[in-house]
């Protein structure tokens, strides 16, 4: 199975939904760079974000890697757009791996991943894959997607959620 790298937003969204288990079920192992861990867990705990503790406990239980991206790797990647430190580390690391899957939601970062010709998937795509693999029923997938659309602390638009739901209803 190709390596899977995850940025902060899918971790936070799935943590808030209490569905981090889908990552293990779908991908076996997921890696996150240190900057992503620091953003989600370290700073999340400082802010009192409920998903920060959920992600930390899940990561410890899975014993999945938190990757320290070498300076030599970071120095070779200068993005042409403004990205967060976590996004930069995910994309820089992805370029050193063979056929990685990159999990991220931010549209600017997704456009950059496409420019780099990386395979990518976001939070909604994770839910769609889980549904198509039989890990979620349609009712479960619909409930999760509607919850994402309704929550102000998950930054995925309601219109996109409706488009994804419509595509799930198609035969």
């Amino acid at each position: 199975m190709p390596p899977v790298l995850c940025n902060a937003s899918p971790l936070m969204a799935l943590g808030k939904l209490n569905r981090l288990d889908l990552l293990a079920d779908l991908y076996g192992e997921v890696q996150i760079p240190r900057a992503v861990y620091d953003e989600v867990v370290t700073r999340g705990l400082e802010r009192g974000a409920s998903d920060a503790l959920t992600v930390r406990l899940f990561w410890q239980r899975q014993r999945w890697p938190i990757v320290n991206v070498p300076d030599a790797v970071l120095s070779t990647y200068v993005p042409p757009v403004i990205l967060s430190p976590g996004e930069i580390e995910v994309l820089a690391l992805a370029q050193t791996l063979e056929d990685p899957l990159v999990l991220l939601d931010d549209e600017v970062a997704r456009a950059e991943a496409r420019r780099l010709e990386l395979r990518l998937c976001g939070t909604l795509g994770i839910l769609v894959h889980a549904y198509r693999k039989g890990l979620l029923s349609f009712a479960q997938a619909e409930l999760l997607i509607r919850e994402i659309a309704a929550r102000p602390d998950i930054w995925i638009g309601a219109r996109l959620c409706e488009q994804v739901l419509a595509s799930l209803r198609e035969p």
Side-chain angles (χ1 to χ4, degrees):
M1 180 169 258
V4 179
L5 299 172
C6 191
N7 190 41
S9 54
L11 284 182
M12 292 187 292
L14 293 171
K16 289 171 180 161
L17 298 169
N18 287 311
R19 292 312 311 250
L20 287 163
D21 59 300
L22 294 173
L23 293 175
D25 294 341
L26 288 169
Y27 308 118
E29 179 180 278
V30 176
Q31 301 175 42
I32 55 173
R34 174 64 56 188
V36 170
Y37 184 86
D38 289 344
E39 178 182 344
V40 175
V41 176
T42 307
R43 288 196 295 288
L45 288 171
E46 290 169 1
R47 289 190 317 270
S50 62
D51 56 295
L53 182 59
T54 303
V55 171
R56 185 180 79 184
L57 293 173
F58 178 80
W59 226 258
Q60 287 172 343
R61 188 175 72 237
Q62 295 297 321
R63 293 188 174 100
W64 284 350
I66 300 165
V67 181
N68 291 310
V69 182
D71 287 338
V73 170
L74 289 172
S75 67
T76 62
Y77 173 60
V78 180
V81 292
I82 296 173
L83 299 173
S84 73
E87 291 163 345
I88 291 170
E89 287 196 5
V90 165
L91 295 174
L93 184 59
Q95 292 178 80
T96 69
L97 302 171
E98 188 174 329
D99 194 34
L101 175 62
V102 177
L103 307 176
L104 42 76
D105 287 325
D106 179 79
E107 190 48 48
V108 172
R110 289 172 68 86
E112 175 63 1
R114 284 190 288 273
R115 186 188 74 80
L116 296 170
E117 299 180 353
L118 297 169
R119 289 184 313 122
L120 67 119
C121 184
T123 300
L124 294 174
I126 293 166
L127 297 178
V128 168
H129 290 160
Y131 166 69
R132 292 200 171 127
K133 286 198 163 214
L135 300 172
L136 295 173
S137 68
F138 179 81
Q140 290 170 316
E142 180 181 31
L143 183 67
L144 289 167
I145 292 169
R146 290 199 183 283
E147 185 174 348
I148 288 170
R151 289 185 69 147
D153 62 343
I154 298 178
W155 306 280
I156 298 172
R159 192 174 65 192
L160 180 58
C161 289
E162 287 303 320
Q163 290 171 344
V164 169
L165 277 175
S167 73
L168 285 182
R169 287 188 194 100
E170 295 171 359

